[in-house]
């Protein structure tokens, strides 16, 4: 193995050369001839200032990037050192923002804002966890995709925090407190991307002990999902795929035939230090309880007897003064979660306004053969990477919303009848930063009205989505779109807000609601081709090859046709 000191001595040279080369790919000569501005002499640049300049070139907030890296890295810095430098500074800003949350929460008066600040505290704690994970794993080049996903979660925490505070004054103060956190996290994503491109440009190996080594090969893949820690991988070596018939660790049954009569009781009994996949089987029945899978309960599989037989239900709602995040009937904070053959419902009705059935604030979460039933805000796909397959999702206003990376595949999307003065929107995606990795994808789904909406489907407006935040990103592809969807397809949020900066795309859809010739004329709307659509598949967007197949469910990581 190459000595670390030797690697460190010229890693900065390689870094400058490769990053400048990457930047040059999109920096063409004034003549337009496509010639790169990079010359071989750039490979000899070793000054730290040059390294910082090159690393910051792809970032949006360049001044903040320069302040972050100058003095924190030098000519002998390894890629792991650079990642730690980019992330360490964010942790300080998160602490400052948390302190501001404590100050402002004492000024909150309404129950919504009280809930909102409680949510902000939780999210900033989650941000600290994500940042700590990146710092701890910074030398592992196989996890660059994870790092970017976790940092995107940090940005989305800001979005979700602010959306929970109604007071304009308190919201403005919290927005200012979170500004640095957002910009630095956005920069860190770009910096990590540059480091990843370096490996590709120079065919280098990102090594745990020696930074980059010029070996011309990649480290062997362990074949396990990236969210499973090293110690757990050994324990899972003989049981990576968990079928629904797997012997459960706990059985829940309302009739007393199991070990527990409630899901919460089974979760409370789950060992804090359990290693491997923990399995809870919930027998048929309607369970009226609010469930929260906290972040310590990782790698949980919960399954039932079918989404119409095993149902978790609740009716908490915003109209009765409950913060949106706290209305969730079932909430998940822990990574590696799998739900199959179970139903999640919020029965507050359209008059309840925001009323969540399922909320996922978790990375590498899978929902299979489930139902998510509600009205407004049914499915809060909050943060992290999520894969939904062979499921039913129903609702009215913004009923699939959040700021995650989610692919919903082979599923039935049902629009219900809203209140008379409302318009239906399937999605409301919340990407609020240009570099953040986030987006909602509907692939090979069917978008249809329910029986109560059907007679009025042409008089009640129905749309594929509207932009919750400035860079809202949604793709509908290879899906059947019913005739209820208006010809323009998409609905504005407020005037011309986000219409130039959003990314809405359609590809190879079918059905009476699929023609795109009368779609909105926004700059951000696109009809994409096959090559472009590939980037929105589960294999690419979610890096699904690394974790989805291990859930033991049907899946497609590519396009269907």
């Amino acid at each position: 193995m190459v000595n670390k000191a030797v690697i460190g001595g010229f890693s900065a040279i390689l870094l400058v050369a490769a990053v400048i080369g990457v930047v040059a790919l999109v920096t063409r000569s004034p003549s337009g001839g496509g010639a790169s501005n990079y010359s071989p002499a750039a490979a000899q640049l070793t000054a730290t200032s040059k390294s910082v300049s090159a690393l910051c070139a792809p970032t949006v907030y360049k001044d903040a990037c320069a302040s972050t890296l100058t003095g924190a890295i030098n000519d002998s810095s390894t890629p792991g050192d650079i990642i730690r430098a980019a992330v360490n500074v964010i942790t300080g800003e998160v602490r400052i923002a948390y302190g501001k949350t404590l100050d402002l929460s004492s000024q909150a008066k309404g129950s919504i804002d009280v809930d909102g600040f409680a949510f902000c505290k939780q999210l900033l704690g989650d941000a600290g966890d994500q940042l700590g994970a990146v710092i701890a794993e910074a030398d592992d080049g196989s996890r660059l995709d994870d790092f970017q996903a976790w940092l995107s979660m940090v940005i989305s925490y800001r979005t979700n925090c602010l959306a929970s505070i109604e007071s304009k004054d308190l919201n403005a103060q919290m927005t200012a407190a979170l500004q640095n956190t957002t910009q630095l996290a956005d920069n860190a994503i770009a910096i990590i991307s540059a480091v990843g491109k370096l490996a590709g440009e120079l065919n280098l190996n990102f090594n745990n002990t020696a930074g980059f080594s010029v070996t011309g090969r990649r480290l062997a893949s362990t074949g396990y999902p990236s969210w499973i820690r090293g110690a757990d991988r050994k324990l899972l070596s003989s049981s990576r795929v968990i079928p629904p018939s797997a012997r459960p660790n706990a059985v829940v049954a309302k009739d007393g035939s199991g070990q527990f009569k409630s899901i919460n009781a089974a979760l409370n009994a789950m060992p804090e230090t359990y290693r491997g996949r923990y399995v809870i089987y919930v027998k048929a029945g309607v369970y009226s309880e609010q469930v929260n899978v906290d972040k310590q309960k990782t790698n949980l599989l919960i399954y039932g007897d079918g989404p119409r037989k095993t149902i978790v239900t609740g009716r908490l709602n915003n109209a009765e003064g409950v913060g949106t995040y706290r209305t969730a009937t079932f909430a998940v904070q822990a990574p590696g979660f799998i739900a199959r053959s179970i139903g999640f419902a919020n029965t507050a009705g359209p008059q309840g306004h925001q009323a969540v059935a399922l909320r996922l604030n978790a990375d590498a979460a899978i929902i299979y053969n489930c139902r998510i039933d509600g009205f407004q805000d049914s499915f809060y796909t909050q943060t992290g990477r999520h894969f939904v397959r062979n499921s039913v999702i129903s609702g009215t206003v913004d009923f699939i919303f959040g700021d995650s990376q989610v692919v919903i595949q082979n599923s039935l999307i049902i629009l219900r009848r809203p209140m008379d003065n409302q318009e239906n929107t399937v999605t409301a995606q919340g990407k609020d930063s240009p570099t953040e990795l986030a987006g909602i994808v509907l692939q090979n789904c069917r978008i249809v009205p329910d029986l109560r909406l059907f007679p009025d489907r042409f008089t009640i407006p129905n749309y594929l989505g509207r932009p919750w935040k400035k860079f809202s990103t949604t793709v509908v592809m290879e899906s059947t779109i019913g005739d209820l969807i208006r010809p323009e397809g998409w609905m504005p949020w407020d005037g011309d807000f986000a219409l130039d900066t959003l990314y809405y795309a359609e590809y190879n859809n079918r059905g009476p609601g699929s023609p795109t010739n009368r779609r909105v004329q926004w700059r951000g709307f696109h009809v994409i081709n096959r090559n472009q659509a590939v980037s929105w598949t589960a294999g690419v967007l979610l890096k699904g090859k690394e974790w989805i197949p291990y859930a033991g469910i049907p899946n497609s990581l590519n396009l269907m046709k």
Side-chain angles (χ1 to χ4, degrees):
M1 181 175 289
V2 184
N3 182 275
K4 182 175 183 178
V6 174
I7 291 295
F10 60 81
S11 63
I13 301 175
L14 300 177
L15 188 58
V16 172
V19 174
I20 289 178
V22 169
V23 173
L25 293 177
V26 295
T27 307
R28 301 301 181 184
S29 65
S31 65
S36 169
N37 291 331
Y38 167 66
S39 68
Q44 302 305 314
L45 295 174
T46 61
T48 301
S49 61
K50 297 287 188 180
S51 301
V52 170
S53 177
L55 281 167
C56 291
T59 64
V60 174
Y61 308 101
K62 292 179 172 55
D63 290 345
C65 178
S67 297
T68 296
L69 297 183
T70 301
I73 65 171
N74 54 50
D75 289 353
S76 62
S77 293
T78 66
D81 295 333
I82 295 167
I83 292 171
R84 276 186 289 272
V87 174
N88 270 323
V89 68
I90 309 172
T91 62
E93 292 298 330
V94 167
R95 294 190 192 100
I96 293 171
Y98 188 88
K100 189 65 173 179
T101 302
L102 297 178
D103 292 340
L104 294 178
S105 61
S106 63
Q107 303 175 39
K109 296 179 180 178
S111 59
I112 298 295
D113 283 345
V114 170
D115 280 349
F117 279 107
F119 194 31
C120 288
K121 292 174 190 175
Q122 174 193 308
L123 293 175
L124 288 169
D126 293 343
D129 290 344
Q130 302 298 346
L131 296 171
V134 176
I135 291 169
E137 303 285 342
D139 291 314
D140 187 347
S142 70
R143 308 199 71 170
L144 297 183
D145 291 329
D146 290 339
F147 299 162
Q148 293 185 77
W150 298 342
L151 289 166
S152 293
M153 292 175 74
V154 171
I155 295 175
S156 72
Y157 293 149
R158 175 252 191 201
T159 300
N160 289 280
C161 164
L162 296 177
S164 301
I165 302 171
E166 289 189 345
S167 165
K168 290 184 179 180
D169 177 58
L170 296 179
N171 191 292
Q173 291 186 64
M174 199 65 217
T175 298
L178 288 168
Q179 180 176 346
N180 287 346
T181 298
T182 303
Q183 292 183 358
L184 292 170
D186 192 282
N187 280 348
I189 293 170
I191 290 168
I192 290 170
S193 178
V195 169
K197 288 178 180 178
L198 162 60
E201 286 284 305
L202 298 183
N203 195 28
L204 300 176
N205 191 30
F206 198 143
N207 186 289
N208 240 7
T209 58
F212 286 113
S213 57
V214 190
T215 61
R217 65 180 180 84
R218 295 177 60 87
L219 287 177
S221 170
T222 61
Y224 286 92
S226 56
W227 43 263
I228 297 180
R229 302 296 181 185
D232 293 339
R233 300 182 187 200
K234 295 179 182 179
L235 293 170
L236 292 175
S237 61
S238 61
S239 58
R240 288 177 288 172
V241 176
I242 310 294
S245 58
R247 182 175 179 178
N249 300 91
V251 177
V252 179
K254 291 184 70 69
D255 61 9
S257 61
Q259 298 148 286
F260 305 96
K261 290 187 176 181
S262 73
I263 298 169
N264 278 310
L267 282 173
N268 291 338
M270 180 176 171
E272 290 186 7
T273 58
Y274 189 84
R275 297 191 172 213
R277 175 72 66 188
Y278 195 84
V279 182
I280 296 177
Y281 165 43
V282 185
K283 291 188 175 183
V286 178
Y287 297 81
S288 298
E289 54 180 313
Q290 189 174 28
V291 177
N292 181 58
V293 180
D294 66 48
K295 55 190 174 185
Q296 285 74 37
K297 301 184 187 303
T298 60
N299 303 335
L300 172 68
L301 164 64
I302 183 167
Y303 71 94
D305 287 324
R308 289 189 178 275
K309 294 181 178 179
T310 300
I311 301 170
V312 191
T313 186
R315 62 170 312 279
L316 290 177
N317 61 87
N318 190 262
E320 296 180 356
V322 181
T324 301
Y325 90 99
R326 204 161 62 81
T327 66
T329 299
F330 199 104
V332 182
Q333 320 294 330
F337 175 80
I338 301 175
R340 55 190 303 165
S341 303
I342 194 166
F344 309 98
N346 190 308
T347 61
Q351 67 278 4
H353 298 290
Q354 294 94 333
V356 178
L358 176 64
R359 176 169 69 91
L360 297 179
N361 175 24
D363 196 25
I366 290 177
I367 307 296
Y368 173 68
N369 188 33
C370 290
R371 288 189 69 100
I372 306 169
D373 290 316
F375 290 84
Q376 182 170 344
D377 291 2
S378 306
F379 181 24
Y380 191 177
T381 174
Q382 182 186 327
T383 57
R385 290 167 289 186
H386 308 154
F387 182 69
V388 181
R389 169 86 182 202
N390 292 31
S391 294
V392 176
I393 307 172
S394 73
T396 55
V397 180
D398 305 339
F399 65 95
I400 301 172
F401 81 109
D403 195 22
S404 68
Q405 300 172 63
V406 57
V407 174
I408 301 171
Q409 192 177 93
N410 286 38
S411 293
L412 185 63
I413 312 299
I414 302 176
L415 289 87
R416 306 177 78 171
R417 199 184 197 289
M419 292 192 291
D420 289 340
N421 61 342
Q422 290 183 320
E423 299 169 305
N424 279 338
T425 43
V426 176
T427 65
Q429 204 281 327
K431 181 176 177 179
D432 203 21
S433 171
T435 309
E436 177 190 357
L437 304 180
I440 295 172
V441 177
L442 305 181
Q443 182 185 18
N444 198 37
C445 292
R446 291 174 55 216
I447 302 172
V448 300
D450 77 353
L451 292 178
R452 288 198 61 214
L453 176 63
F454 186 83
D456 299 316
R457 68 191 187 281
F458 299 134
T459 56
I460 295 175
N462 300 283
Y463 301 93
L464 295 173
R466 59 176 181 158
W468 180 23
K469 296 297 176 182
K470 186 176 181 180
F471 298 96
S472 183
T473 299
T474 304
V475 178
V476 181
M477 61 187 192
E478 302 183 308
S479 293
T480 300
I481 303 176
D483 61 3
L484 75 165
I485 298 299
R486 289 285 178 101
E488 57 268 36
W490 306 84
M491 174 185 172
W493 184 275
D494 183 15
D496 60 0
F497 168 74
L499 303 188
D500 290 343
T501 52
L502 60 77
Y503 183 89
Y504 285 169
E506 297 183 47
Y507 168 73
N508 198 26
N509 294 311
R510 53 197 177 269
S514 66
T516 57
N517 59 306
R518 295 171 60 190
R519 285 295 195 251
V520 293
Q521 298 299 304
W522 306 338
R523 182 180 299 177
F525 173 74
H526 309 273
V527 177
I528 58 177
N529 60 36
R530 182 178 180 85
N531 289 338
Q532 293 168 318
V534 167
S535 65
W536 298 103
T537 60
V540 179
L541 179 66
L542 306 181
K543 301 300 183 285
K545 182 180 178 182
E546 302 300 321
W547 55 281
I548 293 173
Y550 298 93
I553 66 167
N555 64 82
S556 176
L557 301 180
N558 211 320
L559 293 172
M560 300 286 191
K561 297 180 181 178

